[in-house]
Amino acid sequence: GAGVSQSPSNKVTEKGKDVELRCDPISGHTALYWYRQSLGQGLEFLIYFQGNSAPDKSGLPSDRFSAERTGGSVSTLTIQRTQQEDSAVYLCASSLGQYEAFFGQGTRLTVV
Amino acid sequence: GQQVMQIPQYQHVQEGEDFTTYCNSSTTLSNIQWYKQRPGGHPVFLIQLVKSGEVKKQKRLTFQFGEAKKNSSLHITATQTTDVGTYFCAGPLIQGAQKLVFGQGTRLTINP
């Protein structure tokens, strides 16, 4: 595709349910990032994938959060047993190494 | 820890006034990037600076990279309502590493 694609664009889930958020990065981009952004706030780093290296998981807020990147391409962010404080926009970005990062439109997650 | 700091966190100006946001890194950066996020949107790349002391202009926007490559600034001359948004700086904090670290952003609001 022409850009970073995220799905779904909106997700409403009940507290305690698991959710999966998907990111399709730009083809060939070696780096992939997940961020969380609450309303009016900055970018909260969650996880970083670079090529075949072990991911940098230092930003994951709890063990309920996990992410995979299969085949160096598509990534899935999974949140287990969702809580209301997980409500936010989840942004994915990809880049070719340390150069320009391209962001997806984000997934707006609402936990009710 | 290693981080990128941006100030101010918020700035409100009258239309036509100038605006500046500053970015400071705890380490020397190989490059610094600036992004703009419009309300309701996702961050979009504006520019990358690579050289010590580099200055680049985009219409009313002037970007500078410090001599020590540890700080940067974005200056907007005669702000317009279209400049509203959050401005982020980002750079690879670790020498030779590719992971981009984003500052917390400066949110600009404008009184027309």
Side-chain angles (χ1 to χ4, degrees):
Chain A
V4 177
S5 177
Q6 290 188 246
S7 60
S9 54
N10 281 283
K11 176 73 176 178
V12 180
T13 190
E14 291 181 352
K15 179 181 172 181
K17 300 278 190 182
D18 297 353
V19 294
E20 284 190 352
L21 311 181
R22 178 187 169 103
C23 173
D24 280 272
I26 292 173
S27 178
H29 277 191
T30 54
L32 187 147
Y33 305 77
W34 282 99
Y35 295 93
R36 180 168 70 176
Q37 189 172 39
S38 299
L39 189 63
Q41 301 300 307
L43 299 171
E44 178 187 1
F45 167 75
L46 297 177
I47 190 168
Y48 163 69
F49 296 90
Q50 173 59 46
N52 295 321
S53 302
D56 177 350
K57 304 179 181 180
S58 60
L60 295 178
S62 77
D63 58 8
R64 295 187 296 105
F65 288 72
S66 63
E68 290 185 340
R69 187 178 186 192
T70 54
S73 181
V74 171
S75 178
T76 302
L77 176 68
T78 302
I79 309 173
Q80 295 179 313
R81 305 181 301 283
T82 51
Q83 304 295 314
Q84 288 187 328
E85 60 262 28
D86 299 335
S87 296
V89 174
Y90 289 80
L91 289 163
C92 173
S94 72
S95 71
L96 199 56
Q98 61 177 274
Y99 302 104
E100 177 184 352
F102 293 80
F103 284 79
Q105 299 283 354
T107 293
R108 182 175 299 278
L109 176 65
T110 305
V111 182
V112 297
Chain B
Q2 295 165 327
Q3 54 186 337
V4 176
M5 302 295 295
Q6 271 189 264
I7 54 170
Q9 189 175 359
Y10 302 98
Q11 184 77 57
H12 180 77
V13 300
Q14 289 291 126
E15 188 174 14
E17 290 182 340
D18 291 357
F19 159 76
T20 305
T21 173
Y22 300 90
C23 179
N24 294 288
S25 166
S26 56
T27 63
T28 302
L29 301 168
S30 59
N31 73 80
I32 188 85
Q33 300 169 24
W34 286 93
Y35 294 75
K36 177 183 179 182
Q37 183 178 24
R38 294 179 185 272
H42 58 278
V44 174
F45 175 83
L46 292 177
I47 205 161
Q48 176 178 283
L49 304 172
V50 178
K51 299 177 183 176
S52 168
E54 189 170 12
V55 177
K56 286 189 176 180
K57 292 192 175 186
Q58 288 180 350
K59 297 182 181 178
R60 295 176 294 104
L61 277 62
T62 301
F63 305 84
Q64 292 188 331
F65 200 8
E67 294 291 339
K69 301 181 74 173
K70 285 190 172 184
N71 56 75
S72 181
S73 65
L74 159 58
H75 178 82
I76 303 178
T77 304
T79 54
Q80 300 176 359
T81 54
T82 53
D83 297 324
V84 164
T86 301
Y87 293 85
F88 295 94
C89 64
L93 281 190
I94 300 174
Q95 284 287 349
Q98 301 194 23
K99 177 186 169 186
L100 291 175
V101 177
F102 280 78
Q104 279 305 99
T106 296
R107 186 175 175 188
L108 173 64
T109 55
I110 298 174
N111 216 17

